[in-house]
Structure formats: structure tokens, C-alpha cells
């Protein structure tokens, strides 16, 4: 017989032989028992061999059927193992990361070239969202979340601390002059995001007494405040880790040396078994190496 039987007929026979029940085979294959019976009979006709002894309330393999089943069971096991190995290899080259848009824009994306150069075989996909995403439902492999840490059922590692510093354009910094006192902020527009209390806390830490912390425009997120500051609207409190390269380049200036530490931080979050995947383990190690490499002393 040069032509192989149909795969659906072979699957119907293998499942029926394994369960010794066409009803159970039908449930496994999501078809009707009648369809399984028809496929098995077609297989028997094509082979010219009776594979089952059909009894009133039971099913038994013939000697030929038992021999054929032993071979098919091994073949299907090998197919399943090969398919699993192949899909796992394919899946391990794609890594889906979720983080906030601000973290992606200011911290992660500027460093990604180094990750791609170190791991050209890993296809990184970034889901930039402020929504708390579900790992299994949303197909997420690893997350970078901002908060206090400690997420139920998940591994959580402190990745990056927050320290807020007032930042402005070089032109505004030049107008302030060298080493300005904190009260010099009274002459500038304070730019706020939704966490308006941050400016009040910074001013208290800096000992400023002549600055109204409530004045100035409010933006719904840090990205809006960042772009307003870049446009020269005023001065904004920014996370030092987000703008450290711009400070080094001189495109932005932090005219006041005092930083406001936060109890919140960025945490690397993942399911407990995630690090068994080489791609996730590699990304984790790279993230921590980047924190060590690029975070300046405070």
C-alpha cells in the first residue's frame, strides 16, 4: 500500500484503541461516536484488516489491531514530542513584556539596541500600558510594574528605585544662574502630573518657603508633563532614571541637586516558573545589568 491512510482515520483508531471505547475517543477528538466508528471502518477497509472485535458492550483489539496500535501509539507520541519541542523553541524566541508607556519610552527603549545585539535570536515585544495585565489571559511573559512590590502568586524583584529631581531646559537653567536656591522656583512655572503632592514634598525637603506648590498646569500622566517641560513651559519633577542620559547629554538640566526619594519603585514581576524559559532568564539578567551599568550614584 503506497498511499498512507488519512490522519483523521489513524487518530480515530489510536484514540479508540487507547480508550477501548469509541465514545471516549469521540469526546477526546471532539466529534461524534458515529464519526469515529465510520473513520475506523474506513481504515479497516483501506487496510483490508479487521482491527477491533466489536462486542455488545465492549471493544477489543484483534491481534493485528494490537500490533498496529503499538506502532501508532509510538508514532503519535513522537509526533507530539516533536511538535511540543518545535513550538517551545519558536515560542522561546518571542518575549512579551508589559510596562508603563513612560518606562518604555524613557528607560527601556533607549537601551534595547544593547539587548538586541546581545540576544539577536530573541524577538522582544513591548506592551506599553498603564493597565494591570494578566499574564495568562493577555499572553504576557514578564512585567515591569510600579508600586510597593509583593504581588500575590507572582515572583517580584525590586528593579529600579525612584528619585525625583526638578528638570528643565538649558535655557531655563541658564536664566536661574549657577547653584540657585530652591526659592528661585517661585519665578518659574511648576509643571505637575496627577501626583500633585510631589512638588510640595520636594519643596519641603529642599527647605523652600516662598514657592506656592499648588500653582502650575496639571497633566494626566508623566508623559504630558515631560513634553511640556521639554517645550520650555516650565520645570517638572522627573524620575532621575528616566532622564539620566539627557542630563549627561546636556539636553536637559537638573539645576537643584536635591532628589526626592519615593517609597515606590519599579519591580520585575513574573510567574514563579517563568525563569525556566531561557529567553525570560536572559532578559531578566540583562535588565539588572543595565540598572548596574547606567544608574548613577545619588
Amino acid at each position: 500500500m503506497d498511499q498512507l491512510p488519512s490522519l483523521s482515520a489513524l487518530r480515530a483508531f489510536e484514540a479508540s484503541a487507547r480508550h477501548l471505547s469509541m465514545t471516549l475517543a469521540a469526546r477526546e477528538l471532539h466529534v461524534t461516536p458515529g464519526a469515529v466508528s465510520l473513520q475506523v471502518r474506513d481504515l479497516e477497509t483501506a487496510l483490508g484488516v479487521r482491527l477491533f472485535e466489536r462486542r455488545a458492550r465492549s471493544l477489543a483489539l484483534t491481534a493485528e489491531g494490537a500490533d498496529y496500535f503499538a506502532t501508532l501509539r509510538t508514532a503519535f507520541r513522537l509526533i507530539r514530542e516533536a511538535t511540543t519541542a518545535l513550538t517551545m523553541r519558536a515560542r522561546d524566541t518571542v518575549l512579551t513584556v508589559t510596562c508603563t508607556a513612560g518606562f518604555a519610552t524613557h528607560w527601556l527603549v533607549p537601551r534595547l539596541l544593547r539587548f538586541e545585539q546581545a540576544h539577536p535570536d530573541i524577538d522582544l515585544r513591548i506592551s506599553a500600558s498603564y493597565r494591570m495585565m494578566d499574564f495568562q489571559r493577555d499572553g504576557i511573559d514578564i512585567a515591569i510594574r510600579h508600586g510597593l512590590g509583593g504581588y500575590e502568586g507572582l515572583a517580584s524583584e525590586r528593579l529600579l528605585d525612584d528619585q525625583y529631581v526638578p528638570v528643565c531646559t538649558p535655557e531655563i537653567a541658564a536664566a536661574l544662574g549657577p547653584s540657585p536656591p530652591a526659592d528661585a522656583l517661585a519665578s518659574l512655572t511648576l509643571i505637575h502630573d496627577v501626583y500633585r503632592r510631589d512638588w510640595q514634598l520636594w519643596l519641603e525637603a529642599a527647605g523652600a518657603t516662598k514657592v506656592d506648590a499648588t500653582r502650575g498646569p496639571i497633566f494626566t500622566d508623566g508623559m504630558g508633563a515631560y513634553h511640556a517641560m521639554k517645550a520650555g513651559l516650565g520645570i517638572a519633577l522627573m524620575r532621575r532614571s528616566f532622564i539620566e542620559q539627557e542630563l549627561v547629554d546636556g539636553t536637559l538640566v537638573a539645576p537643584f541637586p536635591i532628589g526626592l526619594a519615593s517609597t515606590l519603585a519599579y519591580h520585575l514581576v513574573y510567574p514563579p516558573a517563568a525563569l525556566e524559559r531561557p529567553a525570560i532568564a536572559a532578559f531578566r539578567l540583562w535588565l539588572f545589568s543595565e540598572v548596574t551599568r547606567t544608574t548613577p550614584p545619588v
Side-chain angles (χ1 to χ4, degrees):
M1 183 178 181
D2 294 333
Q3 186 174 357
L4 288 173
S6 72
L7 180 59
S8 59
L10 293 174
R11 290 181 66 210
F13 167 68
E14 191 271 343
S16 298
R18 185 160 27 88
H19 293 292
L20 287 179
S21 167
M22 292 189 181
T23 299
L24 293 178
R27 291 178 186 172
E28 178 183 315
L29 300 174
H30 304 290
V31 296
T32 65
V36 170
S37 178
L38 181 60
Q39 288 173 335
V40 171
R41 287 190 183 277
D42 287 344
L43 178 62
E44 290 176 319
T45 300
L47 295 173
V49 175
R50 193 156 55 95
L51 301 171
F52 286 110
E53 293 282 357
R54 292 167 175 81
R55 299 165 184 168
R57 294 184 179 276
S58 65
L59 199 63
L61 286 162
T62 64
E64 295 82 0
D67 288 343
Y68 198 42
F69 170 59
T71 301
L72 279 183
R73 180 171 53 183
T74 300
F76 274 103
R77 177 177 58 79
L78 291 173
I79 291 171
R80 281 192 291 269
E81 290 175 356
T83 302
T84 299
L86 181 64
T87 55
M88 286 302 293
R89 284 198 301 271
R91 183 171 178 262
D92 205 52
T93 65
V94 178
L95 185 63
T96 302
V97 182
T98 180
C99 60
T100 64
F103 187 89
T105 301
H106 293 296
W107 197 92
L108 184 57
V109 171
R111 294 166 168 80
L112 281 186
L113 180 59
R114 286 196 287 268
F115 180 78
E116 291 178 357
Q117 290 171 338
H119 302 281
D121 55 322
I122 299 177
D123 181 12
L124 199 63
R125 298 179 182 175
I126 301 172
S127 176
S129 173
Y130 291 98
R131 179 172 65 89
M132 188 72 77
M133 303 183 78
D134 182 89
F135 284 86
Q136 186 170 7
R137 184 192 64 223
D138 298 316
I140 300 299
D141 295 309
I142 197 164
I144 300 164
R145 291 178 175 169
H146 187 249
L148 294 171
Y151 300 91
E152 186 177 357
L154 298 169
S156 176
E157 299 181 271
R158 195 178 186 96
L159 178 67
L160 196 63
D161 291 317
D162 271 343
Q163 189 190 48
Y164 293 91
V165 291
V167 181
C168 61
T169 62
E171 292 77 15
I172 290 178
L176 285 171
S179 302
D183 279 328
L185 285 168
S187 64
L188 298 179
T189 298
L190 303 185
I191 301 173
H192 304 261
D193 61 15
V194 288
Y195 303 105
R196 189 172 187 136
R197 182 164 165 72
D198 287 344
W199 263 119
Q200 181 63 50
L201 293 173
W202 187 90
L203 291 167
E204 290 174 0
T209 58
K210 301 177 182 179
V211 184
D212 182 0
T214 64
R215 62 183 175 81
I218 302 175
F219 293 85
T220 57
D221 58 40
M223 290 296 291
Y226 169 80
H227 288 301
M229 177 270 296
K230 287 275 285 186
L233 182 62
I235 190 164
L237 277 177
M238 298 295 300
R239 295 184 177 98
R240 184 186 290 274
S241 59
F242 279 12
I243 43 81
E244 59 187 280
Q245 189 58 53
E246 290 168 285
L247 294 178
V248 171
D249 295 342
T251 54
L252 291 177
V253 179
F256 305 94
I258 297 173
L260 176 66
S262 172
T263 57
L264 304 180
Y266 284 93
H267 296 264
L268 191 62
V269 184
Y270 48 87
L275 296 184
E276 294 176 8
R277 281 187 56 200
I280 296 178
F283 184 67
R284 173 190 172 276
L285 287 175
W286 175 80
L287 282 174
F288 281 106
S289 71
E290 283 295 314
V291 170
T292 302
R293 170 178 181 166
T294 59
T295 301
V298 295

